[in-house]
Coordinates of all heavy atoms in Angstrom, one line a residue:
Chain A
Y10 N -10.7 -10.8 -11.0 CA -11.2 -12.1 -10.6 C -11.3 -13.1 -11.7 O -11.7 -12.8 -12.8 CB -12.6 -11.9 -9.9 CG -12.8 -10.9 -8.9 CD1 -13.1 -9.6 -9.1 CD2 -12.5 -11.3 -7.5 CE1 -13.2 -8.7 -8.1 CE2 -12.6 -10.3 -6.5 CZ -12.9 -8.9 -6.8 OH -13.0 -8.1 -5.8
F33 N 7.7 -7.0 -10.1 CA 7.6 -8.1 -9.2 C 6.3 -8.8 -9.4 O 5.2 -8.1 -9.4 CB 7.9 -7.8 -7.8 CG 9.2 -7.0 -7.4 CD1 9.5 -5.8 -7.8 CD2 10.3 -7.8 -7.0 CE1 10.6 -5.2 -7.5 CE2 11.5 -7.3 -6.8 CZ 11.7 -5.9 -6.9
Y35 N 4.0 -11.4 -6.9 CA 3.8 -12.0 -5.6 C 2.6 -12.9 -5.7 O 1.6 -12.6 -6.3 CB 3.8 -11.0 -4.5 CG 5.0 -10.4 -4.2 CD1 5.5 -9.3 -4.9 CD2 5.8 -10.8 -3.1 CE1 6.7 -8.7 -4.6 CE2 7.0 -10.3 -2.7 CZ 7.4 -9.2 -3.5 OH 8.6 -8.5 -3.3
Q37 N -0.3 -14.3 -2.9 CA -0.8 -14.1 -1.5 C -1.9 -15.1 -1.3 O -3.1 -14.9 -1.8 CB -1.3 -12.7 -1.3 CG -1.7 -12.4 0.1 CD -2.0 -10.9 0.4 OE1 -2.2 -10.2 -0.5 NE2 -2.0 -10.5 1.6
G40 N -5.1 -15.3 4.1 CA -4.5 -15.1 5.5 C -3.1 -15.1 5.7 O -2.6 -15.2 6.7
Q41 N -2.3 -15.0 4.5 CA -0.9 -15.0 4.5 C -0.4 -13.7 4.0 O -1.1 -13.0 3.3 CB -0.4 -16.2 3.8 CG -0.9 -17.5 4.2 CD -0.4 -17.9 5.5 OE1 0.8 -17.7 5.8 NE2 -1.2 -18.4 6.4
G42 N 0.9 -13.5 4.1 CA 1.6 -12.4 3.6 C 2.0 -12.7 2.1 O 2.0 -13.9 1.7
P43 N 2.2 -11.7 1.3 CA 2.6 -12.0 -0.1 C 3.9 -12.7 -0.1 O 4.9 -12.5 0.6 CB 2.8 -10.6 -0.6 CG 2.0 -9.7 0.2 CD 2.1 -10.3 1.6
F45 N 7.1 -13.9 -2.7 CA 7.7 -13.6 -4.0 C 7.7 -14.7 -4.9 O 7.9 -15.9 -4.6 CB 9.2 -13.3 -3.7 CG 10.1 -13.1 -4.9 CD1 10.0 -11.9 -5.6 CD2 10.9 -14.1 -5.3 CE1 10.9 -11.7 -6.7 CE2 11.7 -14.0 -6.4 CZ 11.7 -12.8 -7.1
Y48 N 11.0 -11.7 -10.6 CA 11.4 -10.3 -10.7 C 11.9 -10.1 -12.1 O 12.7 -10.9 -12.6 CB 12.5 -10.0 -9.6 CG 13.2 -8.7 -9.9 CD1 12.6 -7.5 -9.8 CD2 14.6 -8.8 -10.4 CE1 13.3 -6.3 -10.1 CE2 15.2 -7.6 -10.6 CZ 14.6 -6.4 -10.4 OH 15.3 -5.2 -10.7
D56 N 15.3 -13.1 -11.7 CA 15.0 -13.9 -10.4 C 13.7 -14.6 -10.6 O 12.6 -13.9 -10.6 CB 15.1 -13.1 -9.2 CG 15.1 -14.0 -7.9 OD1 14.7 -15.1 -8.0 OD2 15.3 -13.4 -6.9
S58 N 13.1 -17.5 -8.7 CA 13.3 -18.5 -7.7 C 12.0 -18.8 -6.9 O 12.0 -19.9 -6.3 CB 14.4 -18.1 -6.6 OG 14.1 -16.8 -6.0
L91 N -0.4 -10.6 -7.0 CA -0.1 -9.3 -6.9 C 1.1 -8.9 -7.8 O 2.2 -9.6 -7.9 CB 0.3 -8.9 -5.5 CG -0.7 -9.1 -4.4 CD1 -0.1 -8.8 -3.0 CD2 -1.9 -8.2 -4.6
T98 N 16.3 -0.3 -8.9 CA 16.7 -1.6 -9.4 C 17.6 -2.4 -8.3 O 18.1 -3.5 -8.6 CB 17.5 -1.5 -10.6 OG1 18.7 -0.7 -10.3 CG2 16.7 -1.0 -11.8
S99 N 17.6 -1.8 -7.1 CA 18.4 -2.6 -6.1 C 18.0 -2.2 -4.7 O 17.3 -1.1 -4.6 CB 20.0 -2.2 -6.3 OG 20.1 -0.9 -5.8
A100 N 18.1 -3.1 -3.9 CA 17.8 -2.8 -2.4 C 18.4 -1.7 -1.9 O 17.9 -1.0 -1.0 CB 18.0 -4.1 -1.7
A101 N 19.7 -1.4 -2.3 CA 20.4 -0.2 -1.8 C 19.7 1.1 -2.0 O 19.8 2.0 -1.3 CB 21.8 -0.3 -2.3
T103 N 16.4 1.1 -2.5 CA 14.9 0.7 -2.6 C 14.0 1.9 -2.2 O 14.1 2.5 -1.1 CB 14.8 -0.4 -1.5 OG1 15.5 -1.6 -1.9 CG2 13.3 -0.8 -1.5
G104 N 13.2 2.1 -3.2 CA 12.2 3.1 -2.9 C 10.9 2.4 -2.6 O 10.9 1.2 -2.1
E105 N 9.9 2.9 -3.1 CA 8.6 2.4 -2.8 C 8.2 1.3 -3.8 O 8.4 1.6 -5.1 CB 7.6 3.5 -2.7 CG 6.2 3.0 -2.4 CD 5.2 4.2 -2.3 OE1 5.7 5.3 -2.2 OE2 4.0 4.0 -2.1
L106 N 7.7 0.2 -3.5 CA 7.1 -0.7 -4.5 C 5.6 -0.3 -4.6 O 4.9 -0.2 -3.6 CB 7.1 -2.2 -4.0 CG 8.5 -2.9 -4.1 CD1 8.2 -4.4 -3.8 CD2 9.1 -2.7 -5.5
F108 N 2.1 -1.4 -5.7 CA 1.3 -2.6 -5.9 C 0.0 -2.4 -6.6 O -0.7 -1.4 -6.4 CB 1.0 -3.3 -4.6 CG 2.1 -4.0 -4.0 CD1 3.1 -3.3 -3.2 CD2 2.3 -5.3 -4.1 CE1 4.1 -3.9 -2.6 CE2 3.4 -6.0 -3.5 CZ 4.3 -5.3 -2.8
G109 N -0.4 -3.4 -7.5 CA -1.7 -3.3 -8.1 C -2.6 -3.9 -7.0 O -2.3 -4.3 -6.0
E110 N -3.9 -3.9 -7.4 CA -4.9 -4.5 -6.5 C -5.0 -6.0 -6.6 O -5.7 -6.5 -5.7 CB -6.3 -4.0 -6.9 CG -6.4 -2.3 -6.7 CD -7.7 -1.8 -7.1 OE1 -8.4 -2.4 -7.9 OE2 -8.0 -0.7 -6.7
Chain B
Y32 N 16.9 -3.8 5.2 CA 16.0 -2.6 5.0 C 14.7 -3.1 5.5 O 14.3 -4.2 5.2 CB 16.0 -2.2 3.5 CG 17.4 -1.9 3.0 CD1 18.1 -2.7 2.1 CD2 18.0 -0.7 3.3 CE1 19.3 -2.5 1.7 CE2 19.3 -0.3 2.8 CZ 19.9 -1.2 2.0 OH 21.2 -1.0 1.5
F34 N 10.4 -2.3 6.1 CA 9.2 -1.6 5.6 C 8.0 -2.1 6.4 O 7.8 -3.2 6.9 CB 9.1 -2.0 4.1 CG 10.2 -1.7 3.3 CD1 11.2 -2.6 3.1 CD2 10.4 -0.6 2.5 CE1 12.3 -2.5 2.4 CE2 11.5 -0.4 1.7 CZ 12.5 -1.3 1.7
Y36 N 3.9 -2.0 5.2 CA 3.0 -1.7 4.2 C 1.5 -2.0 4.9 O 1.3 -2.7 5.8 CB 3.0 -2.7 3.1 CG 4.1 -2.3 2.0 CD1 5.4 -2.5 2.3 CD2 3.7 -1.6 0.9 CE1 6.4 -2.2 1.4 CE2 4.6 -1.3 -0.1 CZ 5.9 -1.5 0.1 OH 6.9 -1.1 -0.8
Q38 N -2.7 -2.6 3.9 CA -3.6 -3.1 2.8 C -5.0 -2.9 3.3 O -5.5 -3.5 4.2 CB -3.3 -4.6 2.5 CG -4.2 -5.1 1.2 CD -3.7 -6.5 0.9 OE1 -3.4 -7.3 1.8 NE2 -3.7 -6.8 -0.3
N41 N -9.8 -4.6 -0.6 CA -10.0 -4.4 -2.1 C -9.0 -3.4 -2.6 O -9.3 -2.8 -3.7 CB -11.4 -4.2 -2.4 CG -12.4 -5.2 -2.0 OD1 -12.0 -6.4 -2.3 ND2 -13.5 -4.8 -1.5
Q42 N -7.9 -3.1 -1.9 CA -6.9 -2.2 -2.4 C -5.5 -2.8 -2.4 O -5.3 -3.9 -1.8 CB -6.9 -0.8 -1.6 CG -8.1 -0.1 -1.7 CD -8.0 1.2 -1.0 OE1 -6.8 1.8 -0.8 NE2 -9.0 1.8 -0.5
G43 N -4.6 -2.2 -3.2 CA -3.2 -2.8 -3.3 C -2.5 -2.3 -2.0 O -2.9 -1.4 -1.2
L44 N -1.4 -2.9 -1.7 CA -0.5 -2.6 -0.6 C 0.0 -1.2 -0.8 O 0.4 -0.8 -1.9 CB 0.5 -3.6 -0.4 CG 0.3 -5.0 0.3 CD1 -0.3 -5.8 -0.8 CD2 1.5 -5.5 0.9
L46 N 2.8 1.7 0.8 CA 3.9 1.9 1.8 C 3.6 2.9 2.9 O 3.1 4.0 2.6 CB 5.1 2.4 1.1 CG 6.4 2.6 1.9 CD1 6.9 1.3 2.5 CD2 7.5 3.3 1.0
K49 N 9.6 3.3 5.9 CA 10.7 2.4 5.6 C 11.9 2.8 6.4 O 12.0 4.0 6.7 CB 11.0 2.4 4.1 CG 11.5 3.7 3.5 CD 11.8 3.6 2.0 CE 12.2 5.0 1.5 NZ 12.5 4.9 0.1
T51 N 16.0 2.6 6.2 CA 17.2 2.2 5.2 C 18.5 2.7 5.7 O 19.3 3.2 4.9 CB 16.8 2.8 3.8 OG1 16.7 4.2 4.0 CG2 15.6 2.2 3.1
F90 N 1.5 -5.2 7.0 CA 2.5 -6.2 6.7 C 3.9 -5.5 6.9 O 4.2 -4.4 6.4 CB 2.4 -6.6 5.3 CG 1.2 -7.5 4.9 CD1 0.1 -6.9 4.4 CD2 1.2 -8.8 5.2 CE1 -1.0 -7.6 4.1 CE2 0.1 -9.6 4.8 CZ -1.0 -9.0 4.3
S94 N 14.2 -6.3 3.1 CA 14.9 -6.5 1.9 C 16.4 -6.3 2.3 O 16.7 -5.9 3.5 CB 14.6 -5.4 0.9 OG 15.2 -5.5 -0.3
Y95 N 17.3 -6.8 1.5 CA 18.7 -6.8 1.9 C 19.6 -6.2 0.7 O 19.2 -6.4 -0.5 CB 19.1 -8.2 2.2 CG 18.4 -8.7 3.3 CD1 17.3 -9.5 3.2 CD2 18.9 -8.5 4.6 CE1 16.6 -9.9 4.3 CE2 18.3 -9.0 5.7 CZ 17.1 -9.7 5.6 OH 16.4 -10.1 6.7
S96 N 20.6 -5.6 1.1 CA 21.6 -5.1 0.2 C 22.2 -6.2 -0.6 O 22.4 -7.2 -0.1 CB 22.7 -4.4 1.0 OG 23.7 -3.9 0.1
G97 N 22.3 -5.9 -1.9 CA 22.9 -7.0 -2.8 C 21.8 -7.7 -3.5 O 22.0 -8.5 -4.4
N98 N 20.5 -7.6 -3.1 CA 19.5 -8.2 -3.9 C 18.8 -7.2 -4.8 O 19.2 -6.1 -4.9 CB 18.5 -9.1 -3.0 CG 17.6 -8.2 -2.3 OD1 17.5 -7.0 -2.5 ND2 16.7 -8.8 -1.5
T99 N 17.7 -7.6 -5.3 CA 17.0 -6.8 -6.3 C 16.0 -5.8 -5.8 O 15.3 -5.2 -6.5 CB 16.4 -7.7 -7.4 OG1 15.5 -8.5 -6.7 CG2 17.5 -8.5 -8.1
G100 N 15.9 -5.7 -4.5 CA 14.7 -5.0 -3.9 C 13.6 -5.9 -3.6 O 12.5 -5.5 -3.2
K101 N 13.8 -7.2 -3.8 CA 12.8 -8.2 -3.5 C 12.4 -8.1 -2.0 O 13.3 -8.0 -1.1 CB 13.3 -9.5 -3.8 CG 12.4 -10.7 -3.4 CD 12.9 -12.1 -3.8 CE 14.2 -12.5 -3.1 NZ 14.6 -13.8 -3.5
L102 N 11.1 -8.0 -1.7 CA 10.7 -7.9 -0.3 C 10.3 -9.3 0.2 O 9.6 -10.1 -0.5 CB 9.5 -7.0 -0.2 CG 9.7 -5.6 -0.5 CD1 8.5 -4.7 -0.4 CD2 10.8 -4.9 0.4
F104 N 7.9 -10.7 3.1 CA 6.9 -10.2 3.9 C 6.5 -11.2 5.1 O 6.7 -12.4 5.0 CB 5.5 -10.1 3.1 CG 5.5 -9.0 2.2 CD1 5.9 -9.1 0.9 CD2 4.9 -7.7 2.6 CE1 5.9 -8.0 0.0 CE2 4.9 -6.6 1.7 CZ 5.4 -6.8 0.5
G105 N 6.1 -10.5 6.2 CA 5.5 -11.3 7.3 C 4.1 -11.7 6.9 O 3.6 -11.4 5.8
Q106 N 3.4 -12.5 7.9 CA 2.1 -13.0 7.6 C 1.0 -11.9 7.7 O -0.1 -12.3 7.4 CB 1.9 -14.1 8.6 CG 2.8 -15.3 8.3 CD 2.4 -16.5 9.1 OE1 2.2 -16.5 10.3 NE2 2.2 -17.7 8.5

Side-chain angles (χ1 to χ4, degrees):
Chain A
Y10 303 91
F33 299 81
Y35 286 84
Q37 186 176 17
Q41 302 294 317
F45 170 80
Y48 164 70
D56 187 347
S58 61
L91 300 172
T98 60
S99 72
T103 296
E105 183 173 353
L106 282 191
F108 282 83
E110 294 177 340
Chain B
Y32 303 106
F34 306 82
Y36 278 80
Q38 188 175 33
N41 298 315
Q42 294 188 26
L44 282 79
L46 180 67
K49 63 181 180 182
T51 55
F90 293 95
S94 182
Y95 295 93
S96 176
N98 78 3
T99 56
K101 173 174 74 177
L102 295 177
F104 285 89
Q106 292 186 310

